[in-house]
Amino acid sequence: MPDRKAAYPGAAAYLPASHSLTACRKAVDACHGCPLYRRATHAVFGEGAAHSPLVLIGEQPGNDEDLSGRPFVGPSGKLLDRALAEAGVDRGKAYVTNVVKHFKWTPSGEKRLHKKPDAAEIAACRPWLEAELAAVKPVTIVALGATAGQALLGRAFRVTRQRGVPLTTPFAPHLIATIHPSAVLRQRTPDDRAREYAALVADLKVVAATVT
């Protein structure tokens, strides 16, 4: 098991001379800044409107994203699309990405199960995220889940305490945290899923008010 405190070379050496989204998207597949690339099918860079007022940031690509090379295309992405539409946010006018660009997983039979990236892996991948935010220059960032929130606001951040509350960050005038859509899907009962989904939509309505 790798040392969670280990330092990796990081992505900085793999950033292209131009930090444009197009150049970074082409360069990210060559990134060996941490060991996660060894077991991933694709590096998954962000996509969407290049100068959007809104950036949504998740933790890392999942199985479907790893296979397709695109962010938020699996079950969590479909639920997010539905929640955004219900909240009055057009995903087609947003930019979506993840803190970590390679899928970290553990085998379970024939399935590949999500495994949370550690602090060293998140730090190694941070230059890609910073390049994206510098290029897009959003008005509002949505941190989807604790990992995204902590990556942007520090390890003391707790999504359970600060969700739905507009905060400030050097990367954008507004940052609003909410749960990751996968947290809705993990709920055990239909009632629990309905409750968490409604809370996600409520948070995204706060987001909508900052970009309209």
Side-chain angles (χ1 to χ4, degrees), residues 66-90:
D66 174 70
L67 296 175
S68 69
R70 299 181 59 208
F72 287 95
V73 296
S76 291
K78 291 179 173 60
L79 187 142
L80 177 62
D81 286 351
R82 181 160 59 94
L84 287 168
E86 197 167 323
V89 178
D90 183 353

Side-chain angles (χ1 to χ4, degrees), residues 7 17 55-56 85 97 100 109 126 128 139 145 156 167 182 187 189:
V55 172
L56 298 108
T97 191
V100 172
R126 187 177 177 89
W128 293 118
V139 173
L167 304 169
S182 63
Q187 298 300 311
T189 70

Side-chain angles (χ1 to χ4, degrees), residues 112-144:
R112 301 188 302 169
L113 300 182
H114 161 276
K115 188 175 182 181
K116 184 177 179 177
D118 63 36
E121 292 156 348
I122 292 168
C125 211
R126 187 177 177 89
W128 293 118
L129 180 62
E130 290 182 348
E132 289 176 291
L133 294 174
V136 178
K137 297 180 175 62
V139 173
T140 300
I141 294 171
V142 180
L144 297 167

Side-chain angles (χ1 to χ4, degrees), residues 150-162:
Q150 290 175 2
L152 294 164
L153 296 171
R155 299 187 71 177
F157 171 82
R158 294 292 181 271
V159 69
T160 52
R161 293 200 305 260
Q162 294 165 282

Side-chain angles (χ1 to χ4, degrees), residues 151-208:
L152 294 164
L153 296 171
R155 299 187 71 177
F157 171 82
R158 294 292 181 271
V159 69
T160 52
R161 293 200 305 260
Q162 294 165 282
R163 64 178 296 178
V165 179
L167 304 169
T168 59
T169 168
F171 300 107
H174 307 289
L175 184 146
I176 298 169
T178 187
I179 57 172
H180 195 282
S182 63
V184 178
L185 297 175
R186 288 196 300 268
Q187 298 300 311
R188 294 185 176 182
T189 70
D191 286 348
D192 289 342
R193 286 191 291 275
R195 183 190 66 248
E196 291 302 316
Y197 177 77
L200 173 61
V201 171
D203 291 340
L204 293 175
K205 286 181 178 178
V206 176
V207 172

